[in-house]
Amino acid sequence: MYKHLEKRARETPPVTLSTLRKMKAEDVPISCITAYDASFAALVDLAGVDVVLAGDSLGMVIQGHDTTVPVTMDDMTYHSRAVSRGLWRPFLIADMPFMSYATRGQAMENAARLMQEGGAKMVKLEGGVNQLNVVRALAANDIPICAHIGLTPQSVHKIGGFRVQGRESDAARRMIDDAQALEDAGADIVLLECIPSELGHAITEAVNVPVIGIGAGPEVDGQILVLYDILDITMGRLPRFVKNYMDGASNCADAVSRYVKAVKDRSYPAPEHCFD
Ligand code: KIV
């Protein structure tokens, strides 16, 4: 019954939102990775990852689609639940899939499902100021939110491809404003994808919540990558920010440990993984 007290007394208590805020305040890098099933969730937990994302990238790396657009709420709930069963210490975030938060009502119903059935501690949604009403509604109901801006893969058909965002000065300014507005609306974490390193740094300075980057340069509060990319499983051309951690590793667990170490000692990302 008092399982939370028992957990707090352990040597490695579970990571909470307070842990992540403290890590930002103390400048301790946050290591994050995606996972889609219980076995890999347990493996990345043992490797020392702080945050696990049950990401809608599963549409590409598990289901074989070209984009994340076809992923459904049933898919996300199933995979998030499996991941949650494999985790002890890491903080679990689950992705809200495409069109699952088009209205405030839908967003609340689907976020609640990811937390109640999927075991997630936080939900992630894509979009800037266009999502403020949804973020406010979720925050008002105590649903922790990660706001994903920069390259937002669910909008790939509108953007016209997977490309670096925020290179022009007005787009960069808008992204900083978006991040601040999302924080004011109640977002607890900001995730930045595929933007110039300088902009990643500027956004990290501009908000008080932890900022996690993927292709957003070294000066953010934490890094995230897609698990199958670092394990060299993903076929085809990979984004510039990916590093193959199987190179020189003895097995998958060793590769993930090396990734965690590289995030913690800030040797990842190196300049060749970043955008100008
Ligand atoms: O779904 C996912 O894996 C993501 C990461 C790329 C951040 O959103």
Side-chain angles (χ1 to χ4, degrees), residues 148-166:
H148 180 159
I149 57 175
L151 172 61
T152 47
Q154 291 173 11
S155 313
V156 62
H157 298 307
K158 187 86 175 170
I159 300 169
F162 296 100
R163 43 177 73 115
V164 181
Q165 302 293 305

Side-chain angles (χ1 to χ4, degrees), residues 112-193:
R113 190 168 167 211
L114 287 175
M115 295 181 74
Q116 293 183 311
E117 293 176 42
K121 304 276 175 13
M122 171 178 275
V123 298
K124 174 162 84 59
L125 51 85
E126 297 183 6
V129 283
N130 52 327
Q131 295 300 349
L132 291 183
N133 285 338
V134 164
V135 171
R136 280 192 203 103
L138 295 176
N141 286 280
D142 291 338
I143 295 173
I145 306 142
C146 173
H148 180 159
I149 57 175
L151 172 61
T152 47
Q154 291 173 11
S155 313
V156 62
H157 298 307
K158 187 86 175 170
I159 300 169
F162 296 100
R163 43 177 73 115
V164 181
Q165 302 293 305
R167 274 197 163 131
E168 295 76 32
S169 60
D170 44 336
R173 183 65 253 169
R174 269 200 309 276
M175 215 183 289
I176 297 173
D177 292 345
D178 274 4
Q180 289 176 321
L182 286 160
E183 176 178 27
D184 290 345
D188 303 281
I189 290 183
V190 171
L191 188 144
L192 304 174
E193 178 163 355

Side-chain angles (χ1 to χ4, degrees), residues 228-250:
Y228 289 12
D229 291 350
I230 76 161
L231 296 181
D232 199 26
I233 292 171
T234 313
M235 296 287 168
R237 195 163 156 252
L238 294 175
R240 178 188 173 96
F241 50 75
V242 170
K243 179 166 176 184
N244 171 10
Y245 279 92
M246 280 308 279
D247 209 359
S250 49

